[in-house]
Amino acid sequence: MGTEPRITGRCLLLAGGPIGDYAALRPLVRPGDFVLAADSGYRHAAPLGLTVDLLLGDFDSLGTPPAGVPIHTLPVEKDETDTLAAVRLAMRWGCRDFLILGAFGGRFDHSIANLITLREIVERGGRGMLADDRTRVHLLRGPETIRLPRMEGWSLSLFSMTDRCTGVCESGVHYPLDGYTLEAASSLGVSNAIDAAEARISLESGILAVIQAFDGNPS
């Protein structure tokens, strides 16, 4: 591609998982996002009204890449997914903020790989969210705090992605926590609900998965 670009804002990364309701994701898009498509994730661009800045992949799922789009070709045999390769390239270009769409709903192993990709982002000092129309996942690396608005029909769950997360606090929810140590093997944080206008979640140490999932049953 010649001189490497610099990404000073957020990278919106299109992964190849299915998206059932594009309208639900359009509000997450920001003007000025650097749009990076990983292989067949390119197919999500038009329904979301996006112009792809770079298409990356080995094209085993998309097939022949379209003309007129900047291409970064990857080898078919490699030790990382196309999505992880895209993240590493964007981080090399200076990006530390990611929104990854189409990260779930297809193959379960790909969903796990995308969660691992998000973990690499936060371990390297970045931040990001995985999303489709029914699931949103943030990873917090302590000490860190996030505030999430209440959304009708959505649950809120917490999981420790390290052996334990210490000092976990959760307020504005039906089952609050205050300074709790959440172990990796614990399911205590599953299926909470935001009762207030927003929830506040924080932790002192560890990596905490904060998952919002649409269960189709508004309260």
Side-chain angles (χ1 to χ4, degrees):
M1 291 187 62
T3 303
E4 290 190 345
R6 295 295 295 173
I7 302 175
T8 57
R10 188 178 68 170
C11 177
L12 194 164
L13 202 166
L14 301 174
I19 295 174
D21 183 1
Y22 289 101
L25 293 179
R26 290 190 192 109
L28 300 179
V29 176
R30 298 176 190 164
D33 282 337
F34 184 92
V35 180
L36 179 54
D39 209 318
S40 62
Y42 178 81
R43 298 190 181 113
H44 297 315
L48 288 168
L50 298 172
T51 298
V52 172
D53 294 299
L54 179 66
L55 171 58
L56 173 148
D58 54 26
F59 308 117
D60 60 343
S61 53
L62 180 62
T64 303
V69 179
I71 302 294
H72 185 96
T73 302
L74 299 173
V76 174
E77 295 185 2
K78 55 188 180 299
D79 296 328
E80 59 191 0
T81 65
D82 290 345
T83 302
L84 179 55
V87 163
R88 287 173 172 170
L89 181 65
M91 295 194 87
R92 194 176 84 198
W93 291 349
C95 184
R96 291 296 180 271
D97 188 7
F98 292 84
L99 170 63
I100 305 177
L101 302 182
F104 304 108
R107 283 173 44 179
F108 183 68
D109 53 344
H110 285 176
S111 298
I112 295 295
N114 288 332
L115 185 60
I116 292 170
T117 295
L118 187 58
R119 178 167 176 164
E120 176 162 324
I121 290 170
V122 301
E123 287 182 334
R124 293 178 58 183
R127 61 180 179 178
M129 178 171 71
L130 306 177
D132 63 12
D133 49 310
R134 300 180 66 88
T135 309
R136 299 181 184 183
V137 178
H138 302 264
L139 289 189
L140 308 186
R141 185 183 184 188
E144 190 172 358
T145 300
I146 192 172
R147 289 175 169 82
L148 298 173
R150 183 175 184 270
M151 297 188 296
E152 289 290 339
W154 289 68
S155 64
L156 176 67
S157 297
L158 306 181
F159 295 94
S160 178
M161 298 294 293
T162 44
D163 286 344
R164 64 188 55 83
C165 288
T166 67
V168 176
C169 296
E170 197 176 10
S171 61
V173 298
H174 194 70
Y175 302 106
L177 294 174
D178 185 10
Y180 189 79
T181 297
L182 186 64
E183 305 283 344
S186 174
S187 61
L188 178 137
V190 175
S191 292
N192 209 336
I194 301 177
D195 291 338
E198 68 174 17
R200 183 181 185 275
I201 301 117
S202 63
L203 76 159
E204 293 176 359
S205 69
I207 296 178
L208 183 70
V210 180
I211 303 175
Q212 293 174 283
F214 182 68
D215 60 19
N217 296 304
S219 57

